[in-house]
């Protein structure tokens, strides 16, 4: 997936959470204007997950289904 128009001055947090709210992956990025990332979710169970991208006061949430 990719996310554009990031503010390079503030850290960007990326987390993947399951439907129960458990964080299964978390990382942060600095000094990026655009985020293009491939996530390895081979170690998590099948199901619905949410990718949360947070930067300063902005947040975007993407739903993914692993089957």
């Amino acid at each position: 997936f990719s996310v554009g128009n990031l503010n390079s001055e503030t850290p960007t947090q990326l987390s993947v959470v399951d439907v129960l709210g458990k964080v299964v992956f978390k990382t942060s990025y600095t000094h990026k204007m655009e985020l293009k990332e491939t996530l390895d979710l081979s170690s998590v169970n099948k199901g619905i997950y949410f990718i949360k991208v947070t930067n300063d006061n902005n947040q975007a949430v993407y739903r993914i289904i692993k089957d």
Side-chain angles (χ1 to χ4, degrees):
F1 73 96
S2 65
V3 178
N5 299 324
L6 298 176
N7 181 349
S8 64
E9 298 300 318
T10 60
T12 300
Q13 306 292 325
L14 183 144
S15 61
V16 179
V17 297
D18 65 13
V19 292
L20 299 176
K22 179 182 174 188
V23 177
V24 297
F25 178 83
K26 188 173 186 177
T27 191
S28 64
Y29 304 92
T30 56
H31 304 295
K32 287 200 171 194
M33 292 300 288
E34 183 176 9
L35 179 64
K36 291 186 179 184
E37 187 69 29
T38 301
L39 300 176
D40 180 10
L41 298 178
S42 61
S43 63
V44 299
N45 294 328
K46 294 179 181 180
I48 298 172
Y49 294 88
F50 299 94
I51 299 172
K52 294 184 180 182
V53 181
T54 306
N55 179 306
D56 208 15
N57 292 326
N58 301 311
Q59 179 173 310
V61 179
Y62 305 90
R63 185 180 72 155
I64 60 171
I65 300 172
K66 181 181 176 193
D67 57 10

